[in-house]
Amino acid sequence: MEVDYTLYLLTDRKILEGKDLSRAVEEAIRGGVTLLQMREKEVSTREFYELALEMKELALSFKLPLIINDRLDIALAVDADGLHIGQDDLPLTAARKLLGPGKILGLSVSNVEEAVYGEENGADYLGAGAVYHTGSKDIAAPPIGPGGLKKIKDAVSIPVVAIGGIGLSNIHEVKETGVDGVAVISAILGSQDIESAARNLFNAWRR
Amino acid sequence: MEVDYTLYLLTDRKILEGKDLSRAVEEAIRGGVTLLQMREKEVSTREFYELALEMKELALSFKLPLIINDRLDIALAVDADGLHIGQDDLPLTAARKLLGPGKILGLSVSNVEEAVYGEENGADYLGAGAVYHTGSKDIAAPPIGPGGLKKIKDAVSIPVVAIGGIGLSNIHEVKETGVDGVAVISAILGSQDIESAARNLFNAWRR
């Protein structure tokens, strides 16, 4: 599957403050999001599964790939296009084996060592960060900055998506590192006008 | 795989108050536990995976089946002998499809309707309850009692394991319903002497 990593949206229902997830994601897609990742914590497996079915239908109708965060069981059950894992999730090699060769497998990395390991052990792309301080996720490690991001990008040949605190004010700086796209949560879903927020980011990247 | 449902131990690290899980489970097995289910909530996938690998090794060395609660991804990743799902987990048919025909699939039920659905849609056995009030899990529904348990057992032909508040004081009453075994947490793991607690339950069942 040909994947466009330009503008990668990670879902977060908390930030939506009760707004319907499907509706918010559809607005983001209309604004230019090219790839979707669904992340849910603290919900039952059944609820995650049912939300993922909704997202899958939406992704299909816009012909965008849907990636599931962490939960291989959900990814398999809804036949998602891929799985994204972090360093606290299933080991990369176990995930690749169970996911099969045809699905997209992403890995979160924060340094060159993890990135090289990912490339050599079955990751199709890397999520690299956190580039900047971010309120979206509890991250203990200090941000890697554009410098750390560039080191990761230069060390591997698979696509690298930057994540963490990225918005209109710094997307140009991020793009200059040579990465393949940006992953965002709050810069899109935290906006009053989700479609415009996505469009502004997309245009800023393409500029 | 031939499965003996007589004394089914569900793990719960909270009740162990810091005692090593493998050690506690090994003591329980020496006392007579015939089947293991590993249940973990609020841990990372990686931690669950690593604990499950430990449990798998232990189960193998004692030739007992290991069942994973809820998480099909973990069950697949450690090649467990089966999966146990509740009404808030993956749908039964999705779980069976992904688990394959050769693995054990259990379903939690609390009434005849759920039990019949389970038997007809791929469950190998049922966990029926809660029979009595229990402190081990937050269950909103009132206990089904030995009467409710017997109705479930009489309605299906697959094995039924009783769960919820079962101990030495009521195991005889539970056995009289005709069920195939009892599932316990605190009656074994909550005891100072885990091996003796398991042995006493096992002997009480066999008496």
Side-chain angles (χ1 to χ4, degrees), chain A residues 9 14 17-18 29 31 33 37 45 72 99 106 111 169 192 206:
Chain A
L9 179 68
K14 279 195 297 287
E17 292 174 349
I29 295 172
V33 158
Q37 180 182 132
T45 296
L72 175 83
L99 196 62
N111 57 52
S169 67
Q192 283 297 315
R206 284 291 157 92

Side-chain angles (χ1 to χ4, degrees), chain B residues 126-159:
Chain B
L126 304 173
V131 183
Y132 306 103
H133 282 289
T134 167
S136 295
K137 202 179 171 184
D138 295 330
I139 296 174
I144 62 172
L149 184 61
K150 187 169 189 321
K151 279 184 196 155
I152 289 169
K153 174 61 189 170
D154 292 346
V156 296
S157 58
I158 54 176

Side-chain angles (χ1 to χ4, degrees), chain A residues 20-120:
Chain A
D20 180 69
L21 178 66
S22 285
R23 185 164 170 182
V25 170
E26 182 168 341
E27 288 171 22
I29 295 172
R30 292 192 188 282
V33 158
T34 59
L35 187 61
L36 286 177
Q37 180 182 132
M38 195 183 165
R39 185 163 76 174
E40 289 288 333
K41 305 282 181 190
E42 294 158 37
V43 296
S44 71
T45 296
R46 181 67 63 95
E47 190 178 355
F48 196 164
Y49 170 78
E50 285 172 355
L51 281 166
L53 281 181
E54 257 185 69
M55 285 300 107
K56 166 84 185 198
E57 196 179 336
L58 192 60
L60 267 179
S61 69
F62 286 95
K63 298 191 170 56
L64 293 192
L66 172 67
I67 311 285
I68 303 291
N69 183 284
D70 179 9
R71 296 288 298 267
L72 175 83
D73 50 350
I74 304 293
L76 294 175
V78 306
D79 192 26
D81 302 288
L83 176 72
H84 185 95
I85 57 176
Q87 303 287 328
D88 287 335
D89 301 334
L90 281 181
L92 184 62
T93 50
R96 173 52 82 196
K97 191 177 157 197
L98 296 168
L99 196 62
K103 299 287 189 182
I104 305 162
L105 180 57
L107 178 70
S108 293
V109 302
S110 58
N111 57 52
V112 167
E113 189 185 348
E114 290 170 352
V116 170
Y117 177 87
E119 174 163 45
E120 291 176 349

Side-chain angles (χ1 to χ4, degrees), chain B residues 10-15 39 41 130 132-139 163-166 183-190:
Chain B
L10 277 60
T11 66
D12 182 349
R13 285 191 296 158
K14 278 197 295 289
I15 214 171
R39 186 163 74 175
K41 305 281 181 191
Y132 306 103
H133 282 289
T134 167
S136 295
K137 202 179 171 184
D138 295 330
I139 296 174
I163 185 166
I166 298 169
V184 299
I185 305 175
S186 59
I188 291 179
L189 296 183

Side-chain angles (χ1 to χ4, degrees), chain B residues 61-77:
Chain B
S61 68
F62 285 95
K63 298 189 170 57
L64 293 192
L66 173 68
I67 311 285
I68 302 293
N69 184 284
D70 180 9
R71 296 289 298 267
L72 176 83
D73 50 349
I74 304 293
L76 294 175

